[in-house]
Amino acid sequence: MNKKMKEALKEAFEAPIPAHKQEFLRGIPRQRVSIFTFMLSQMGYIRKRVLVLSLCLFVLSLAGACFLKLDMLWIISAFMPFIALSAVTENSRSAVYGMDELEMSSRFSMRSVVLARMGILGVLHLILICLLIPLAYIHSAFTVLQVGVYLLMPYLITDVVGLWMIRNIRGKEAMYICVGVAVCISSLHSFFRILLVNILYRNYFEWLLVMLIVLMILFIKEMRTMVQQTEELKWNLL
């Protein structure tokens, strides 16, 4: 829907200005909630499979690198699209299941809920990646920087494509497409493994850094657009 049509619909169906709105809102008894309490409450709504998947990948990486003495870089990077997929599907669960309009009219604004869940998952995955980089580096032939870039690339690609799909395709079909995207990225990683090794070894690593920066910019843009689309309804109290 373009901007002109939105403005036309707004003018045609604009509700009258409510009388004594502020007096009515002040008369509603409500308990103030701190940011910390709010974040803890939203953490309870994140599905446990997201935490279990992250924990399983960490345990697998720890066992392979420290006990089995294996080069875990390729295994960890192959699982990174699915870690990103868990964040994409969790952040957009309301839109996928058609519950976004209902949540917009709840006590907490939809924008606050989305930002809280994005922040929780972002911190969780940042900690996970920081733990996985040294485990992938232990028996690898690459530098820490190269390992970090290689782990972030499939993660960010899945995030960018998945968020774009969720934003442009409504319903559960978007979820299935995101799963297919994660599987394809993971499979292509294994298929082009020799080529990627040559890129990391040779003088093409600078291009990977450029691609990583571009992906970060696109990721921030998609997240910003996702937050902007969570327009608050007029009767939302916060």
Side-chain angles (χ1 to χ4, degrees):
M1 185 181 296
N2 57 41
K3 187 176 181 181
K4 291 184 178 180
M5 187 175 295
K6 284 184 177 181
E7 292 295 331
L9 289 173
K10 183 178 178 181
E11 292 177 2
F13 298 98
E14 187 172 5
I17 299 175
H20 309 292
K21 176 182 176 180
Q22 295 303 324
E23 290 82 355
F24 172 75
L25 293 178
R26 281 195 293 266
I28 299 177
R30 49 181 177 149
Q31 183 181 2
R32 292 290 178 181
V33 178
S34 65
I35 296 178
F36 180 74
T37 304
F38 173 65
M39 295 292 284
L40 284 180
S41 68
Q42 291 305 312
M43 190 178 298
Y45 288 102
I46 296 177
R47 287 175 291 190
K48 301 300 182 291
R49 70 184 71 173
V50 177
L51 303 176
V52 171
L53 179 62
S54 302
L55 181 62
C56 288
L57 180 58
F58 174 73
V59 172
L60 174 66
S61 305
L62 182 65
C66 298
F67 299 103
L68 300 179
K69 310 297 182 181
L70 298 176
D71 182 1
M72 296 299 296
L73 173 61
W74 310 106
I75 298 176
I76 295 174
S77 56
F79 277 98
M80 292 308 293
F82 300 102
I83 298 296
L85 175 66
S86 66
V88 171
T89 55
E90 198 64 28
N91 285 327
S92 53
R93 188 166 36 147
S94 299
V96 169
Y97 291 100
M99 297 295 292
D100 45 355
E101 292 187 4
L102 180 61
E103 290 193 6
M104 284 180 187
S105 58
S106 62
R107 179 184 180 185
F108 300 107
S109 68
M110 185 65 180
R111 184 169 299 181
S112 300
V113 172
V114 171
L115 286 173
R117 293 180 185 175
M118 287 194 313
I120 293 170
L121 290 172
V123 171
L124 171 65
H125 285 175
L126 178 62
I127 295 173
L128 178 65
I129 291 173
C130 290
L131 293 174
L132 291 176
I133 288 176
L135 294 177
Y137 168 73
I138 291 178
H139 300 288
S140 173
F142 308 114
T143 65
V144 175
L145 177 61
Q146 289 174 328
V147 169
V149 170
Y150 192 71
L151 292 184
L152 283 173
M153 290 289 288
Y155 181 89
L156 288 175
I157 293 174
T158 307
D159 269 335
V160 171
V161 177
L163 288 172
W164 187 90
M165 290 292 181
I166 293 291
R167 188 163 51 86
N168 290 276
I169 303 174
R170 304 290 294 184
K172 293 184 180 180
E173 291 80 7
M175 191 82 72
Y176 301 142
I177 294 174
C178 289
V179 173
V181 168
V183 172
C184 288
I185 294 174
S186 180
S187 302
L188 287 174
H189 150 271
S190 302
F191 185 75
F192 291 110
R193 175 176 173 177
I194 297 177
L195 175 63
L196 291 170
V197 170
N198 291 329
I199 290 176
L200 290 175
Y201 265 128
R202 300 178 186 275
N203 296 324
Y204 305 117
F205 181 67
E206 291 78 6
W207 290 104
L208 279 182
L209 288 176
V210 173
M211 288 178 59
L212 182 67
I213 294 173
V214 172
L215 286 172
M216 287 182 175
I217 294 173
L218 292 175
F219 173 69
I220 294 173
K221 181 181 177 181
E222 288 295 330
M223 296 293 281
R224 184 170 176 266
T225 304
M226 180 180 176
V227 172
Q228 288 177 342
Q229 285 186 343
T230 58
E231 298 175 354
E232 300 174 6
L233 298 182
K234 292 185 177 296
W235 54 80
N236 196 290
L237 301 181
L238 294 181

